[in-house]
Amino acid sequence: MERSSRDGRPATADESATDESGAFGSAPEGAAASAPDLQAYAVLLRTLNSEFNRHTHAFAQRHDLHATDVHALAAILDSTALEGRPMTPSRLAERLNLTSGAVTACLDRLERAGHISRTRDSADRRVVHLVYNPGARALARQYFSPLARSTEATMRRFTPAQLATVADFLHTLNQELTAEAAPGRTGG
């Protein structure tokens, strides 16, 4: 796949690998850039995370939400895709590493603001499902549309096989991070 330089022309091998202060380190003259090392991946992932956080915090400020509220909305939205089932308050508390009281306060704020609804499970009325309301989804979709456009533009620069590899990497990394955060596992 051909990469572009910052000015839009095809990048040379030397431009593909940045200098020593760049994310990938420098390649020996005439050699192709090697795969980034662990530190380079860490820098890239932190940078990506910082950009997502910047957008998330701006959305939270604009809509009078706490940053935790936006993380809760994302977890509610993604629950079906990640777990194949709607989010519940207890799973949300676990996912966000919050107390049940903190989650209740968060859900109360989100419900008052019209972002979510709490519905009872039809089979077991004790179970509460959290539903991201359609109007709130549309609001978020509109706000985050520049991020979606940037993602789509970036995806067009890669082949389907490359995108599958990126998706596999991100999926596997998420699984590892989730396992690392599981109760009983300690960092160090």
Side-chain angles (χ1 to χ4, degrees):
M1 188 205 81
E2 186 172 284
R3 304 290 242 146
S4 298
S5 68
R6 289 179 190 225
D7 63 3
R9 63 184 167 69
T12 66
D14 290 338
E15 289 171 326
S16 295
T18 60
D19 65 16
E20 291 175 24
S21 64
F24 294 99
S26 60
E29 194 168 321
S34 62
D37 62 13
L38 181 59
Q39 182 178 359
Y41 274 110
V43 169
L44 291 169
L45 290 169
R46 280 193 304 269
T47 302
L48 179 63
N49 188 53
S50 293
E51 282 303 306
F52 283 138
N53 283 339
R54 187 172 60 83
H55 288 279
T56 299
H57 287 248
F59 178 81
Q61 279 186 319
R62 179 174 223 159
H63 298 287
D64 296 321
L65 299 171
H66 296 193
T68 301
D69 298 346
V70 180
H71 291 294
L73 287 171
I76 292 165
L77 177 66
D78 294 342
S79 179
T80 303
L82 292 173
E83 302 172 5
R85 57 189 174 154
M87 183 59 76
T88 64
S90 61
R91 288 197 352 269
L92 183 63
E94 183 179 305
R95 171 113 178 175
L96 299 180
N97 197 28
L98 297 173
T99 65
S100 61
V103 165
T104 298
C106 172
L107 295 175
D108 287 346
R109 287 190 303 269
L110 291 172
E111 195 167 40
R112 274 193 309 273
H115 291 279
I116 66 155
S117 298
R118 297 176 205 182
T119 62
R120 298 279 175 185
D121 185 275
S122 59
D124 183 349
R125 302 285 299 153
R126 296 171 295 174
V127 176
V128 174
H129 291 180
L130 305 173
V131 178
Y132 200 150
N133 292 336
R137 273 186 198 229
L139 179 73
R141 186 175 292 120
Q142 178 184 3
Y143 185 86
F144 289 105
S145 63
L147 185 59
R149 282 192 302 273
S150 294
T151 302
E152 288 174 336
T154 300
M155 289 174 71
R156 284 193 295 270
R157 296 176 67 183
F158 294 86
T159 67
Q162 289 171 317
L163 290 172
T165 299
V166 170
D168 188 41
F169 170 80
L170 293 173
H171 177 76
T172 304
L173 179 59
N174 283 328
Q175 286 180 321
E176 285 290 325
L177 293 172
T178 299
E180 190 65 37
R185 294 231 7 213
T186 58

